[in-house]
Amino acid sequence: MPIALFLAAAVINLNQLGFRPEDPKLAIVADHATRPLDWVVVDDAGKTVLAGRTSVGGDDAASGDHVHVARFTALTRPGNYQLRVDGTESGRFRVGRDVYAPLALNALNFFYQQRAGTPIDARWAGKRWARAAGHPREVAACFSGADEKGNVWSGCPYTLDVTGGWYDAGDHGKYVVNGGIAVWTLQNLYETGLARRVFADGQARLPEAGNRRDDLLDEARWEVEWMLRMQVPAGTRVALPVGPHDRSGRLALTPVDAGGMAHHKVADARWTTLPTAPADDKEPRLLYPPSTAATLNLAAVAAQAARLWRPIDPAFAARCLAAARAAWTAAQRNPAIFAAQGFTGSGGYGDETLDDERAWAAVELFATTGDAAYRAALPTGATGEPGWASVAPLGMITLATASGVPVTIRDGARAAIVAAADGFLAETARTGYRIPYASQTYNWGSNSSILNRAMLLGLAQRFTGEARYRGGVVDAADYILGRNPLGQSYVSGTGWKPLTNPHHRFWAHQLSASAPPPPPGVVSGGPNSSAMVDPVAMTLKGRCAPQRCWADDINAYALNEVAINWNAPLVWVAAYLDSD
């Protein structure tokens, strides 16, 4: 059983970044008292500007805490403040209209610093994070030979130049599945228009700044270009597994026309050690077999990019749309080629439920072309938060936000998103820390689940104009930025207790004084009570309440890795909260 926390003094947990003047303002106070507690907010001069009493929330199973809620929404004057409760002081926080813009810019800069195939320049990353190019001129051959499960792969009759893209996480792998949802999220933020102010040309720290194009779209293009390079040449036959895998992982390989499909990933033959800078990676780089999931990710993202780039760069848009159509056709021809899992040195990203990928790709092609051939595969009905293996909600968001979607389809998608948002808000009252996530199980990358829910809440606010949905986004951001039982800002460089030691091969200062810490704006995957498989997590297993199953340790890869699909919704949410 998790160990409950009994506190001798109140512990104040709140958003360590701060608050916009008009937004709700809550702190959660962990204290064993059963009576309300007095609180005051003081300014820089120590003068009391607001006072009140907490409401008693009671015992909270997800945190192990007995909680109180302090609400100080009436604090609207810009400035620096401190909350004091029953003799305990919080750190200093700020109220101001611009509190989220720096976070949005830092969170986007994460993607520049994860770029492969190019030097990372101190002008854009900061001196501590400048590094040589990792994997420049990356011309890779396909894996051939026996994998760890005894399957013998015959490779493929070509090599591909797959230079560029983003490293996925703390390792040096690059994955089409996961790259897809990450780049889609950035492109969607551009398409919704929520970030036009914060990411206008020249605002972000990017080599492309000043090119008269939106900085957000510039960064997204770096990944899209790489995804296009992962496409199998037309007319190529490759031996691939057709149909489900058996329990042992043994596969029946059949030569198929793989032209237009996408390779699942390009990655190292074996895991590298910590720390290893990208330029110091000496492992062979290999293309791993194409999969239907990767192919549909390519179809969706390339179709979305075609729509966005059409008025800006028609030639690039045409190339994206041609690739998307070819990928869709290839996925129709090869509907059940699942990602092989018998390889070491990289993540598997295995997914054998592909109806959601198919629906998502159909949406993006339909929104871009209006072609009725894609309409039959559109998603309908209820929706939830997206994830890399659950991408139908991405299609629902596009149906709700892209221009040119028929009104009846658009309105149905918006209704589904608002219904999902209502469900998330209903969960808030069931949680001690007042967040739109009431599960008693925290999965790998739980912070991204909360941030992805925040995206849907933000869209519901946009569709309805109702402030309660924005309040739900604020609750989610508050949790990520310190209003949690650990009093931890899960974002590096943000707050008085920020993330410092993520699982990452270059940002490895914990292991080597010559390696840098993480740059500002990197979000940790967060608590993970369901797959406590790393050496640090194993020491906590059975001893932590779900929200406390976390450690700021580079070796805690199940708890504290970083990933492009986790930082992307952080960019989206921070930009949304910066908007009026």
Side-chain angles (χ1 to χ4, degrees):
M1 294 291 293
I3 299 173
L5 183 65
F6 296 96
L7 301 164
V11 175
I12 302 170
N13 299 311
L14 51 72
N15 184 326
Q16 297 171 18
L17 178 64
F19 306 89
R20 284 181 60 125
E22 69 276 13
D23 280 340
K25 300 171 188 70
L26 265 68
I28 303 299
V29 182
D31 190 284
H32 62 272
T34 57
R35 57 173 176 78
L37 303 172
D38 293 323
W39 59 261
V40 297
V41 175
V42 300
D43 62 17
D44 274 342
K47 179 184 176 182
T48 296
V49 297
L50 200 66
R53 305 196 82 196
T54 65
S55 59
V56 182
D59 294 333
D60 175 46
S63 65
D65 291 346
H66 183 85
V67 300
H68 293 238
V69 182
R71 292 180 171 85
F72 50 102
T73 302
L75 179 68
T76 59
R77 184 189 295 269
N80 297 310
Y81 300 97
Q82 189 177 50
L83 178 66
R84 297 175 180 173
V85 183
D86 202 31
T88 300
E89 298 179 344
S90 75
R92 294 195 177 275
F93 61 90
R94 190 163 70 89
V95 173
R97 297 194 63 78
D98 61 344
V99 292
Y100 282 103
L103 175 60
L105 290 164
N106 286 338
L108 182 67
N109 191 252
F110 163 88
F111 292 90
Y112 170 67
Q113 301 214 30
Q114 288 286 99
R115 286 188 186 186
T118 187
I120 301 304
D121 196 301
R123 289 177 297 171
W124 316 116
K127 185 177 180 180
R128 300 184 77 180
W129 297 284
R131 60 170 173 82
H135 309 100
R137 298 179 297 281
E138 187 173 23
V139 179
C142 295
F143 179 93
S144 63
D147 66 20
E148 291 191 328
K149 297 184 181 296
N151 302 298
V152 178
W153 300 83
S154 57
C156 46
Y158 54 82
T159 60
L160 293 180
D161 182 346
V162 291
T163 306
W166 300 320
Y167 297 120
D168 178 71
D171 63 282
H172 297 139
K174 300 186 294 187
Y175 309 84
V176 172
V177 171
N178 213 47
I181 185 174
V183 74
W184 179 94
T185 302
L186 299 187
Q187 292 188 148
N188 173 261
L189 179 57
Y190 173 84
E191 186 165 36
T192 59
L194 291 169
R196 296 294 168 85
R197 179 174 66 186
V198 70
F199 294 127
D201 181 35
Q203 296 299 304
R205 302 187 302 278
L206 297 175
E208 296 84 3
N211 66 358
R212 301 183 181 180
R213 295 171 178 169
D214 188 278
D215 292 340
L216 190 66
L217 211 53
D218 281 330
E219 188 57 67
R221 181 165 176 166
W222 186 265
E223 181 77 350
V224 174
E225 294 269 16
W226 168 76
M227 290 180 72
L228 298 179
R229 296 185 189 109
M230 293 289 283
Q231 194 162 33
V232 177
T236 305
R237 296 186 69 79
V238 179
L240 296 173
V242 178
H245 305 170
D246 66 26
R247 290 184 179 180
S248 71
R250 299 302 294 272
L251 307 172
L253 301 178
T254 304
V256 301
D257 179 359
M261 295 188 74
H263 284 274
H264 201 69
K265 59 187 175 182
V266 58
D268 291 330
R270 291 169 293 273
W271 289 112
T272 54
T273 58
L274 297 168
T276 301
D280 297 332
D281 180 4
K282 305 304 181 187
E283 286 293 325
R285 300 286 284 180
L286 297 169
L287 288 168
Y288 289 89
S291 69
T292 304
T295 303
L296 290 167
N297 268 258
L298 173 60
V301 165
Q304 181 194 34
R307 187 167 69 245
L308 304 183
W309 283 96
R310 196 156 43 199
I312 305 168
D313 186 341
F316 179 62
R319 183 157 65 93
C320 288
L321 185 55
R325 289 187 184 276
W328 174 264
T329 300
Q332 296 292 93
R333 188 170 63 247
N334 300 301
I337 295 178
F338 303 120
Q341 300 296 299
F343 305 106
T344 188
S346 56
Y349 286 107
D351 181 7
E352 297 191 9
T353 303
L354 302 181
D355 287 347
D356 55 321
E357 281 84 2
R358 195 164 286 109
W360 174 37
V363 166
E364 301 301 342
L365 281 158
F366 176 71
T368 299
T369 68
D371 192 332
Y374 304 114
R375 188 165 181 164
L378 300 184
T380 57
T383 193
E385 78 266 20
W388 69 263
S390 179
V391 292
L394 305 182
M396 197 70 78
I397 293 170
T398 290
L399 291 177
T401 57
S403 62
V405 173
V407 171
T408 55
I409 295 175
R410 182 202 68 191
D411 288 350
R414 290 186 175 186
I417 289 170
V418 170
D422 286 337
F424 301 153
L425 289 185
E427 293 187 36
T428 302
R430 306 202 303 271
T431 65
Y433 276 78
R434 300 301 191 266
I435 60 173
Y437 187 83
S439 175
Q440 292 299 306
T441 300
Y442 275 61
N443 294 319
W444 202 313
S446 63
N447 281 346
S448 73
S449 296
I450 293 168
L451 289 166
N452 278 317
R453 287 187 170 205
M455 285 174 51
L456 293 184
L457 285 160
L459 290 168
Q461 183 272 324
R462 187 182 184 198
F463 301 152
T464 66
E466 294 185 27
R468 62 195 181 102
Y469 296 114
R470 182 179 173 95
V473 182
V474 172
D475 284 331
D478 283 358
Y479 170 85
I480 299 296
L481 295 169
R483 202 181 84 196
N484 55 65
L486 299 174
Q488 176 72 50
S489 169
Y490 288 114
V491 180
S492 59
T494 305
W496 55 80
K497 188 182 177 184
L499 169 71
T500 57
N501 297 307
H503 179 78
H504 196 276
R505 280 160 174 74
F506 181 58
W507 305 328
H509 192 69
Q510 181 181 351
L511 299 180
S512 171
S514 63
V522 179
V523 67
S524 165
N528 179 1
S529 62
S530 65
M532 305 183 74
V533 295
D534 66 57
V536 177
M538 288 179 185
T539 68
L540 300 173
K541 195 170 184 178
R543 300 176 54 246
C544 54
Q547 288 181 342
R548 291 180 175 273
C549 295
W550 185 82
D552 193 2
D553 192 301
I554 194 170
N555 296 302
Y557 57 81
L559 314 178
N560 201 32
E561 193 164 20
V562 301
I564 54 176
N565 66 311
W566 302 342
N567 243 75
L570 177 64
V571 176
W572 201 106
V573 169
Y576 165 82
L577 288 173
D578 180 68
S579 66
D580 295 323

